Each structure stands twice: as C-alpha cells, then as structure tokens.
Amino acid sequence: MSHLESGAMKLEKDWYQVSEILEWADRSLREVTRDHEVSTELPPDLPDVLVDRVRVGQVLINLCENAAKYSGRGGQILISAEISGDSIVISVADKGEGISPREMERVFDRFYRVAGEYDSEEGIGLGLSICRGIVEAHYGEIWVESKVGKGSKFSFSLPIEEKEGSRLRLP
Amino acid sequence: MAHTYILVVDDDEKIVKFLRFNLSGEGWHVLTARDGAEALRVVEKDSPDLVLLDIMLPRVDGFEVLRQLRQWSQVPIIGLSARGDTADKVKCLNLGADDYITKPFGINELIARIKAVLRRNKVDDSAPTTPDFKCGELKVDFLIRQVTRDGQELKLTPTEYKLLRELALGVGHTLSYRYLLGKIWGPEYKTEREYLHVYIGHLRAKIEPDPKDHDHIVCMPGVGYRFQCQEVA
C-alpha cells in the first residue's frame, strides 16, 4: 500500500487559483496532449483553493494523458472548472471511446485496467487509484461519467475553504 | 518554484506513462522522445535538466545517442537498460553518462538517483577555501570553476570538476574510495567503485600530460586515490 492510500501523504498546501495550477502543469499538459485539440473553460470568479499544486497537477496530467490516449489523434479534450456547492469541480472531458458502466465502477481500483489494455503493466487503473488518493487527501472526491462511443468526463472536487482573516477584509 | 524538466527517452509507452506519472508527483515536468533522433532535437530545443535514456532504443541505440550528445552537451544523463551486465554499465559511464540503472527498477530508487544526479550537477556555491590550485601547467580556479592546462581551458563535466576539486584540495593525501564516492556522488553510492574508476579515467585523459603515466592522479590499490604534485603553488 502506498503512502497515498494509507493516508500518510504529506501535502505542501498553499492557496492557488485553478489557472495557476494549470499554468504550473502547462508544459506537461501540452506534452501529453500534443496530438490533440485542447480547450479550457475557467470562469473568472473562481475562488482560490488550498492545495498541493504539484499533486493536483499530477492528477490533471494523468487525466489528460488518459483522455488523449482514449480519444485518438486529433481528438478534442476540454479542461473545465466550476463551482458546485462548497467545492470547485475540475473536469477533463474527451470524445473518445468511453467506458462501459461496469468498468466505470472499478476504474479507480488499484491494478484494474480498462478492457483492451491487457498488455499494460501500469495501465489506467494504477494511476487513477493514486489520483483518487491525492484527491481524497485534499478532502475531495473523484468520479467519472461516460458513454461508450461518446466519450468520458473525469471530474474531481476540491473543497472551498475560507482563507484565514478573509472575514476581516474590507469591501 | 523553478521548473525542472526531465527528458525520458524510451520507445515503450507504458514505461513513459509510468515515469511521467511518478516523476510529475515530484514536481518535475516530463518531456518525451521515442527515439534517438528526437532525443537530440529535444535536448537542443528544450534544454532539459536531466535525461533518462533507454539504452535499448530501436535503430540508433542509446550508446550512440550518448556519444552524440556528449559532443556538445553536458546535460546530466542516466542510462536505463534491461541488460544488467557490468560491461554495459561501464560503457555507458565511459561515454559520459552520470549514472546507470537496470530495468526493472523501483521508482523510489530511480527518484533517489535522479535527485542525487541533479544535486551533483548543481553549481556548488560554497565559498572555496582557497582561490586556486596550481600544479605545473595545470591550474584550477575555484572561484570561476575553470580548469586550464598550458593556458588552454579544459572542458570538464560537473562531476569531473567536483572530483578534481576534491583531489586537488587534498593534494598529497590519499582519499579513500568510500570518501570520494560519498562526497561526489552521495552516501548511497559509497560502494559503487566503478563510477569512481570510470571518472578517474575521464579526468586522467583530460588533465594528465600523458594519461598513461598517471603523474597526478595516483591509485593506492585497495585504498583510494591521491593527487600528487611536485610543485604545488
């Protein structure tokens, strides 16, 4: 069991805008999606989140790499963020081959891989199980929506926390 | 936080994905090249901080990539190979690699080695105890990290420079293998004598008037190495 899964992960948290996390991971994101069309949708009024930028960047890179892999060359990938209740939800959507409902239940399980990846030792499952560990260590959740033949949308939430002293801020 | 870029040269997508995931968790950005020609292009264009180079590449193998890279680049390189024999390791180091790891490797070991190589190649900003060292026609200027012989500048890799500096500062004293390995490569390398032998060979080839005579770098078998000089300035 990794440190992440055992809950022993050390996070170096700080306040970041979602755009800053994307900026941090930008070079790697461009690398994994170099044969794809990537667009981003970030509302201008998103609050800052208290996160380990490297770790959240690692999740984003992994989700984008999976999206690129399963949507084929030239496929469209959308990275978006929105406020949902008391969280910010960040999503990576593709228009690729999609995942069946049965596979979706297990996609974050350790060592589980999507059918057809029989030749992979470190397939989608292991990376996603660690992504889940990272998101949960931030008190968030990760999930997937997908339709076979239509594409997949992986999302994770990060709680919106109140910045210390923010109540004292003058209007 | 400054970005650190690591170029992974491997034609195996699974390895690349595995490395990308794990190295990005360390805050490093992974660039990739699937063959030697692409690797040379990426090093020239993106100047990565370190290269992880698979030796068993298709067409042009990693040894040839290493040979070509070392003609113009001092980027730290770690060789990766499924072949575990010592001859390959020594060949890799001889061609100028900074380290060599056999597949399959544990990711924690690889990360530790990457950190050690990056640390080793960082500019040593510590104040030199003495501004320079002269021995015959050989001169080491510790302030500007410049080594000259007969007034001609010698191009040393960061590891070669650190080894020379250590030997020169201890001129006349035998420095043990373990001391040199621990000091230059790091504590986890204290038993890896091959690294030292290879780099001593590199240094001799560059600084000795006649590399076969070993006038300056003298081996004390079973103990270590000593820098000897008849006329220390």
Side-chain angles (χ1 to χ4, degrees):
Chain A
M1 184 178 274
S2 72
H3 287 304
L4 293 183
E5 289 163 303
S6 66
M9 178 170 51
K10 276 179 73 175
L11 296 175
E12 291 183 19
K13 286 185 177 180
D14 207 337
W15 293 99
Y16 293 105
Q17 294 177 2
V18 174
S19 59
E20 288 177 306
I21 301 170
L22 287 177
E23 199 179 301
W24 161 258
D26 178 63
R27 186 63 179 84
S28 294
L29 292 174
R30 278 191 284 128
E31 176 82 17
V32 295
T33 58
R34 58 183 165 183
D35 298 324
H36 297 75
E37 279 183 41
V38 181
S39 50
T40 53
E41 279 180 11
L42 300 183
D45 54 348
L46 285 176
D48 293 359
V49 280
L50 184 61
V51 295
D52 184 322
R53 179 174 59 169
V54 167
R55 289 297 186 178
V56 174
Q58 186 183 15
V59 173
L60 271 170
I61 294 162
N62 189 251
L63 295 183
C64 284
E65 186 167 21
N66 287 340
K69 183 171 180 181
Y70 290 99
S71 59
R73 207 180 176 88
Q76 294 176 0
I77 296 169
L78 173 65
I79 304 171
S80 61
E82 61 181 348
I83 297 175
S84 175
D86 54 2
S87 297
I88 287 183
V89 173
I90 301 174
S91 302
V92 176
D94 66 67
K95 295 181 177 173
E97 58 198 61
I99 305 169
S100 73
R102 198 172 156 195
E103 287 168 330
M104 272 198 286
E105 287 174 19
R106 301 176 56 199
V107 80
F108 296 104
D109 292 352
R110 190 168 168 79
F111 298 126
Y112 178 71
R113 293 183 289 274
V114 173
E117 265 209 297
Y118 58 91
D119 59 342
S120 171
E121 290 164 21
E122 298 290 349
I124 190 170
L126 182 58
L128 284 177
S129 72
I130 298 174
C131 287
R132 184 177 63 181
I134 293 169
V135 171
E136 288 177 353
H138 285 85
Y139 308 106
E141 290 180 72
I142 187 166
W143 65 94
V144 58
E145 302 155 80
S146 186
K147 278 190 179 170
V148 174
K150 298 280 185 188
S152 303
K153 182 179 181 182
F154 282 83
S155 304
F156 61 96
S157 60
L158 297 168
I160 299 169
E161 295 179 46
E162 196 166 320
K163 275 190 183 178
E164 202 174 315
S166 60
R167 280 182 219 160
L168 299 174
R169 198 177 292 162
L170 293 170
Chain B
M1 197 193 305
H3 291 283
T4 298
Y5 295 97
I6 297 184
L7 170 61
V8 175
V9 188
D10 204 309
D11 60 321
D12 185 338
E13 268 187 45
K14 290 173 290 181
I15 292 268
V16 171
K17 187 176 182 201
F18 173 73
L19 290 175
R20 189 195 317 279
F21 186 79
N22 285 286
L23 302 187
S24 67
E26 295 298 314
W28 300 326
H29 297 279
V30 173
L31 311 174
T32 55
R34 292 185 177 84
D35 58 45
E38 192 180 4
L40 295 167
R41 280 199 302 275
V42 176
V43 172
E44 189 181 10
K45 181 168 154 279
D46 293 323
S47 304
D49 298 283
L50 185 140
V51 178
L52 282 179
L53 175 64
D54 181 30
I55 298 303
M56 315 278 279
L57 289 171
R59 298 184 292 278
V60 184
D61 72 14
F63 292 126
E64 181 54 29
V65 176
L66 195 44
R67 192 176 291 118
Q68 290 189 33
L69 270 178
R70 277 292 174 257
Q71 287 173 9
W72 53 273
S73 170
Q74 297 298 332
V75 61
I77 299 171
I78 298 179
L80 297 174
S81 175
R83 289 198 302 235
D85 57 286
T86 307
D88 273 6
K89 181 176 179 175
V90 171
K91 184 175 178 185
C92 205
L93 295 173
N94 262 327
L95 287 169
D98 296 77
D99 203 346
Y100 180 91
I101 295 182
T102 307
K103 293 181 190 173
F105 48 79
I107 190 66
N108 290 336
E109 185 198 353
L110 178 67
I111 288 170
R113 295 217 175 202
I114 290 173
K115 285 180 177 172
V117 171
L118 289 173
R119 194 173 57 232
R120 211 153 61 226
N121 283 276
K122 257 173 77 174
V123 174
D124 183 0
D125 292 329
S126 58
T129 50
T130 174
D132 60 14
F133 169 85
K134 283 179 194 159
C135 175
E137 299 301 323
L138 183 73
K139 183 182 173 192
V140 185
D141 187 326
F142 297 120
L143 289 171
I144 57 171
R145 296 167 60 89
Q146 188 186 54
V147 182
T148 54
R149 195 182 65 207
D150 295 328
Q152 297 290 311
E153 185 176 354
L154 303 176
K155 293 285 181 196
L156 266 54
T157 66
T159 304
E160 289 164 0
Y161 173 79
K162 285 187 177 181
L163 184 55
L164 175 61
R165 173 181 149 125
E166 208 58 40
L167 287 165
L169 290 174
V171 61
H173 299 281
T174 301
L175 305 178
S176 73
Y177 301 123
R178 287 178 64 83
Y179 171 80
L180 287 168
L181 285 162
K183 186 84 180 173
I184 314 294
W185 278 266
E188 60 272 51
Y189 290 81
K190 280 186 176 174
T191 57
E192 305 264 10
R193 286 195 192 177
E194 284 146 359
Y195 290 80
L196 192 52
H197 295 328
V198 167
Y199 273 84
I200 287 287
H202 291 175
L203 256 188
R204 279 177 172 150
K206 291 184 180 178
I207 68 162
E208 296 276 11
D210 181 348
K212 287 180 196 151
D213 283 347
H214 305 178
D215 280 351
H216 294 317
I217 303 178
V218 182
C219 177
M220 306 300 288
V223 184
Y225 291 95
R226 187 182 73 229
F227 196 101
Q228 102 181 347
C229 186
Q230 304 300 327
E231 35 171 331
V232 183

